[in-house]
Amino acid sequence: MQDNRQPAAPLLTHKVEPISNGLHAIPMLAMLDPQGKPYEQAELPELSQDKAIKIHHAMVFTRLLDERMIAAQRQGRVSFYLACTGEEGAIVASAAATESLDMIMSQYREQGALVWRGYTPRQFMDQLFSNHLDPNKGRQMPIHYGDKALNFMTISSPLATQIPQAAGYAYGQKLSGQAAITLCYFGEGAASEGDFHAGLNMAAVLKCPAIFLCRNNGYAISTPAEEQFVGDGIASRGIGYGIKTLRVDGNDAMAMYAATLKAREIAIAESCPILIEAMTYRLAAHSTSDDPSGYRSQKEEQIWRERDPVLRWQYYLQQCGWFDQDAHHQWQSEMKNTLLQAMKDAEIVPVAPVSSMIEDVYHTPPWHLQRQLTQLQQHLERHPDAYDLRCLGEGE
Amino acid sequence: MAKMNLLQAVNHALQTAMEADEKVLVFGEDVGHFGGVFRATSHLQEKFGKTRCFNTPLTEQGIVGFANGLASQGHKPVAEIQFADYIYPAFDQIVNETAKARYRSGGQFECGNLTIRAPYGGGIAGGHYHSQSPESFFTHVPGIRVVIPRGPYQAKGLLLSAINSPDPVIFFEPKRLYRAAVGEVPEESYQLPLGIAEVLREGTDISLVAWGAQVEVIVKAADMAAEKGISCEVIDLQSLLPWDLETVATSVTKTGRLLINHEAPVTSGFGAEIAASIQQECFLSLEAPISRVCGLDTPFPLAHEKLYMPDHLKTFDAIVACVNY
Ligand SMILES: Cc1ncc(C[n+]2csc(CCOP(=O)(O)OP(=O)(O)O)c2C)c(N)n1
Ligand SMILES: [Mg+2]
């Protein structure tokens, strides 16, 4: 570390030679090969059969949810959806390495982490249909989940804002003596925002026990990663900020699990942040508002489809003798039914009452909001048929 | 003349400006090859090459800071902020740099050539992060112009004026009208004056003022009022900073009543500025308190979007209340 106040013997050079590359290429941690077979030198973390199956279920469930909801959006049942497809390995396995006390701050494509934490099909649907049972009271677009009980911070659409917040949250965890960390997810596109740089530097300087997990999935909407940055990915930046850094094959759930476990251990033991760059691919369209055929080829997508993280995990389970084809199929069809039923149930639930419109703006609605609500209610009474809303009746 | 929607008119304006002046550069998140998430910059990279129309990294503060540098060097950057809701990371660059570059250097340096485009407003089920109308944050900043078109013809003419204006312009585009508003647009280049409002309909009983997507709302309310025998004068402000006090004051002097409609929250919205100025100018002509029909003082809702909107019904009721005051 360079400190100008202590001019200890610095490393000298006498040639004008700009350093154009980092000190060395950053390797990518890989544990399972594409056939799910552990690499010879890989030191696999301890993982029980139960947990391995639970990870598989969470990945498959995430995919089923995504498929269900993309179809629902096409049918006009929800306005918007955004899928995690292709990134389930990176998300579920990293979440599986956390403890329930750990806070998760997500960007928006990390529903797999919520699945892991136990968010139910019905809870997903209540949010997606903006009904009054959604803990966010139907105020946010579909997929902006949040659940205090599961330590999953409510998602905010403005990108990268959660990164410095994660530093602060983790600092607070440290001060209150909790053996807990904050796991902060974001995309490689979001890492171009000022908040990324501010957040990482703050976390490093203030020694915050946070894991910054970048999903480098190749695209930010239509913008390919090579138009996003020129350096060696996102990992090289962690090193620049003096943060311990890992680059991991994001489609290798075992590597993601091992990396996150280790990162958590270090973050708590040494009270410091860690950066993980998960190399993966956004197989889905950016969202249901997007059509990737305008900016990437089917051939490219096919290459990544063949690196499916969910299948790789299934192969691994098979090799361990932990995969029961029939049981899995039965579970899967049960899940499909559960999802469909949850959707049917949630979509007929009314939205929050009109009075909720002024709630949560302040701790207690001030006079001017109460007045505006009264005016609105009088307006609705004057025009009872003009507004087609499934609002929960007042006092219900 | 050609039939265009608002998006095509914006696209056409950008193409016209780029053809006319090679110093015009268009950039922002996803605006290059893809043509922008709304397709406002479609085919511009194809036509003008990657050095003049390009994707930027995902950083609004970077985009506007970069644009400030380009503008002060003599280029004419047209920077896109993907949604007005995401303009805040660029707030410092706009408020402290874009707006003050000329003033602080005594006129030696300036960002006058800069145009910042951003889709704004609700009506698309976007919730609070895809629906905001942040214009009044910027009308509080001396040194920038704020311009908002209501339809395709205005979009092209005003955007060309913005790009050629010697002052930096924030150009907010009503995204709910991007495809919905269709009209005749001249294919040749033309400019509509900045700082000038347009009287769309003359009337005698009350003046209605709005801008952007809400103009359509006050027109609808004026139609309803006409059925009740109330004659409304309908004004599209078009420019919010500097704004056309004269046109509005002349109208209110005639009608004696004023209603302002905007989607943004009522408190400290631009309507407050108009109301204060008009009571100063037209005090003796006013026959009723100036009425504001605006968004609630809450973040923009999702499930209750339709209730939040200052729609034609709320406007109509307020017109009647004003006239019967
Ligand atoms: C501050 C801000 N600017 C722009 C956007 C619009 N936007 C939403 S997602 C996105 C791309 C994000 O890409 P990345 O971070 O790589 O995540 P990915 O979608 O690949 O998971 C953009 C530009 C936004 N939500 N917030
Ligand atoms: Mg990405």
Side-chain angles (χ1 to χ4, degrees):
Chain A
M1 213 215 332
Q2 287 284 354
D3 185 342
N4 291 342
R5 294 164 311 161
Q6 294 170 13
L11 188 61
L12 294 183
T13 178
H14 306 291
K15 291 201 185 101
V16 185
E17 278 174 353
I19 297 171
S20 61
N21 212 334
L23 297 178
H24 53 79
I26 303 169
M28 181 172 84
L29 179 70
M31 298 224 154
L32 301 182
D33 72 12
Q35 279 69 48
K37 198 164 151 274
Y39 288 104
E40 236 165 66
Q41 320 233 303
E43 291 172 24
L44 264 49
E46 218 174 283
L47 183 64
S48 68
Q49 176 178 354
D50 272 3
K51 195 164 185 179
I53 291 171
K54 199 182 158 205
I55 288 174
H56 188 230
H57 280 179
M59 290 196 278
V60 175
F61 179 84
T62 303
R63 189 159 293 182
L64 294 177
L65 172 69
D66 287 351
E67 284 167 3
R68 178 68 260 156
M69 293 319 295
I70 287 170
Q73 196 277 340
R74 292 208 180 107
Q75 297 165 338
R77 292 163 90 164
V78 281
S79 56
F80 175 86
Y81 192 74
L82 183 148
C84 179
T85 311
E87 302 178 48
E88 297 93 338
I91 302 307
V92 171
S94 56
T98 65
E99 299 292 331
S100 56
L101 198 59
D102 297 338
M103 172 53 75
I104 293 181
M105 293 195 182
S106 111
Q107 175 160 309
Y108 52 49
R109 207 182 291 287
E110 296 90 357
Q111 50 268 47
L114 254 182
V115 174
W116 175 263
R117 287 266 167 114
Y119 214 50
T120 65
R122 184 54 197 273
Q123 283 177 304
F124 276 107
M125 293 300 172
D126 286 335
Q127 197 289 329
L128 292 165
F129 285 93
S130 317
N131 70 31
H132 77 94
L133 298 173
D134 164 28
N136 306 322
K137 304 185 184 176
R139 293 196 180 122
Q140 293 221 75
M141 282 175 71
I143 69 104
H144 290 67
Y145 312 105
D147 193 89
K148 184 136 187 172
L150 295 180
N151 278 323
F152 190 95
M153 178 69 80
T154 300
I155 294 167
S156 172
S157 323
L159 289 167
T161 49
Q162 78 278 21
I163 300 173
Q165 291 168 13
Y169 201 95
Y171 190 75
Q173 287 172 313
K174 179 172 82 166
L175 288 193
S176 49
Q178 294 171 359
I181 55 116
T182 298
L183 172 59
C184 175
Y185 292 107
F186 52 94
E188 88 295 337
S192 292
E193 290 282 3
D195 273 356
F196 165 86
H197 300 274
L200 259 73
N201 194 37
M202 296 244 350
V205 170
L206 294 165
K207 305 194 185 336
C208 309
I211 300 176
F212 295 101
L213 201 160
C214 178
R215 297 177 289 102
N216 186 343
N217 62 7
Y219 288 90
I221 308 186
S222 76
T223 304
E226 67 258 27
E227 293 185 39
Q228 196 67 245
F229 47 77
V230 179
D232 184 5
I234 306 302
S236 62
R237 300 182 197 170
I239 295 160
Y241 284 116
I243 292 178
K244 289 194 169 137
T245 298
L246 285 159
R247 172 173 286 153
V248 185
D249 179 349
N251 288 17
D252 174 350
M254 186 63 83
M256 285 302 300
Y257 181 68
T260 314
L261 263 189
K262 186 74 182 170
R264 187 178 186 279
E265 191 187 306
I266 295 172
I268 289 177
E270 301 176 24
S271 190
C272 66
I274 304 251
L275 174 67
I276 296 176
E277 182 181 23
M279 308 307 292
T280 179
Y281 190 82
R282 193 199 76 209
L283 261 182
H286 170 71
S287 71
T288 49
S289 316
D290 176 44
D291 172 12
S293 67
Y295 54 83
R296 68 187 192 192
S297 68
Q298 301 245 330
K299 204 172 134 210
E300 176 187 309
E301 291 178 4
Q302 192 49 36
I303 293 172
W304 283 91
R305 212 162 270 129
E306 282 159 20
R307 297 182 196 167
D308 185 349
V310 186
L311 264 185
R312 195 183 303 188
W313 194 254
Q314 183 189 310
Y315 295 152
Y316 171 72
L317 294 183
Q318 280 165 340
Q319 283 159 38
C320 298
W322 294 346
F323 184 76
D324 177 339
Q325 182 92 19
D326 294 340
H328 184 71
H329 278 151
Q330 199 191 331
W331 172 85
Q332 193 161 319
S333 70
E334 273 165 27
M335 275 305 136
K336 281 184 183 168
N337 289 337
T338 307
L339 274 168
L340 193 62
Q341 193 55 48
M343 179 165 87
K344 285 182 179 161
D345 292 344
E347 71 185 339
I348 54 168
V349 173
V351 305
V354 176
S355 58
S356 74
M357 286 178 74
I358 62 164
E359 287 169 10
D360 308 314
V361 183
Y362 296 91
H363 179 272
T364 316
W367 64 269
H368 69 293
L369 285 181
Q370 291 180 12
R371 192 153 101 174
Q372 289 171 18
L373 176 64
T374 306
Q375 285 166 352
L376 175 62
Q377 283 165 334
Q378 287 166 350
H379 178 76
L380 296 177
E381 276 162 28
R382 276 197 303 276
H383 304 277
D385 304 324
Y387 298 89
D388 173 27
L389 269 170
R390 304 173 290 124
C391 285
L392 187 69
E394 301 299 305
E396 245 179 76
Chain B
M1 289 289 218
K3 256 214 162 41
M4 290 185 201
N5 63 29
L6 207 154
L7 262 178
Q8 291 165 322
V10 166
N11 185 256
H12 211 256
L14 293 171
Q15 186 187 320
T16 306
M18 292 179 92
E19 274 162 3
D21 187 346
E22 63 175 27
K23 296 232 176 250
V24 175
L25 306 183
V26 172
F27 52 87
E29 294 158 14
D30 301 294
V31 310
H33 169 66
F34 190 53
V37 292
F38 290 101
R39 317 320 285 264
T41 57
S42 278
H43 304 300
L44 297 179
Q45 186 174 81
E46 232 165 276
K47 286 182 181 126
F48 302 101
K50 271 192 170 181
T51 48
R52 292 188 61 201
C53 175
F54 50 92
N55 286 342
T56 63
L58 207 171
T59 163
E60 293 75 15
Q61 67 185 103
I63 292 168
V64 177
F66 182 90
N68 281 337
L70 261 174
S72 61
Q73 188 274 339
H75 273 78
K76 292 188 174 179
V78 185
E80 177 177 299
I81 299 294
Q82 202 163 79
F83 283 86
D85 313 64
Y86 305 136
I87 203 166
Y88 306 114
F91 205 57
D92 184 40
Q93 283 290 342
I94 296 171
V95 175
N96 282 328
E97 304 303 322
T98 310
K100 297 173 179 55
R102 179 183 287 142
Y103 186 81
R104 72 161 177 252
S105 68
Q108 301 180 84
F109 295 97
E110 44 141 319
C111 301
N113 287 334
L114 170 61
T115 305
I116 299 171
R117 298 178 37 248
Y120 85 99
I124 60 151
H128 44 262
Y129 294 129
H130 294 86
S131 307
Q132 295 175 41
S133 297
E135 67 270 12
S136 70
F137 290 114
F138 299 97
T139 58
H140 200 60
V141 182
I144 53 180
R145 290 178 175 271
V146 178
V147 177
I148 308 182
R150 72 166 184 279
Y153 176 78
Q154 293 71 25
K156 182 173 171 190
L158 289 170
L159 183 52
L160 281 168
S161 297
I163 294 169
N164 292 307
S165 159
D167 297 314
V169 178
I170 314 241
F171 194 83
F172 286 121
E173 299 166 2
K175 63 177 171 292
R176 83 163 177 264
L177 299 185
Y178 264 162
R179 291 192 169 81
V182 180
E184 293 290 332
V185 177
E187 276 170 286
E188 62 278 7
S189 185
Y190 64 96
Q191 297 189 24
L192 296 175
L194 304 184
I196 302 294
E198 187 186 339
V199 179
L200 301 191
R201 182 184 297 185
E202 295 197 3
T204 52
D205 298 328
I206 183 169
S207 309
L208 312 181
V209 174
W211 47 87
Q214 289 305 99
V215 173
E216 155 184 285
V217 171
I218 59 171
V219 166
K220 201 164 167 191
D223 290 342
M224 290 173 71
E227 281 172 27
K228 300 267 182 241
I230 301 169
S231 158
C232 301
E233 184 140 306
V234 179
I235 302 173
D236 174 5
L237 206 56
Q238 300 190 119
S239 282
L240 274 66
L241 186 68
W243 65 287
D244 189 352
L245 172 63
E246 195 185 328
T247 296
V248 180
T250 304
S251 172
V252 177
T253 304
K254 179 177 76 178
T255 61
R257 296 178 186 87
L258 173 62
L259 179 150
I260 306 149
N261 177 306
H262 59 67
E263 227 176 277
V266 62
T267 298
S268 294
F270 195 64
E273 177 58 36
I274 300 174
S277 300
I278 290 299
Q279 70 86 22
Q280 182 79 36
E281 292 291 310
C282 308
F283 188 65
L284 292 178
S285 310
L286 283 171
E287 290 175 42
I290 296 169
S291 176
R292 287 185 290 163
V293 181
C294 304
L296 271 57
D297 286 328
T298 71
F300 200 98
L302 181 79
H304 298 112
E305 173 168 33
K306 292 212 165 68
L307 302 187
Y308 174 94
M309 281 291 199
D311 62 6
H312 61 285
L313 275 181
K314 291 180 188 173
T315 309
F316 171 71
D317 285 0
I319 292 171
V320 173
C322 233
V323 170
N324 294 334
Y325 186 77

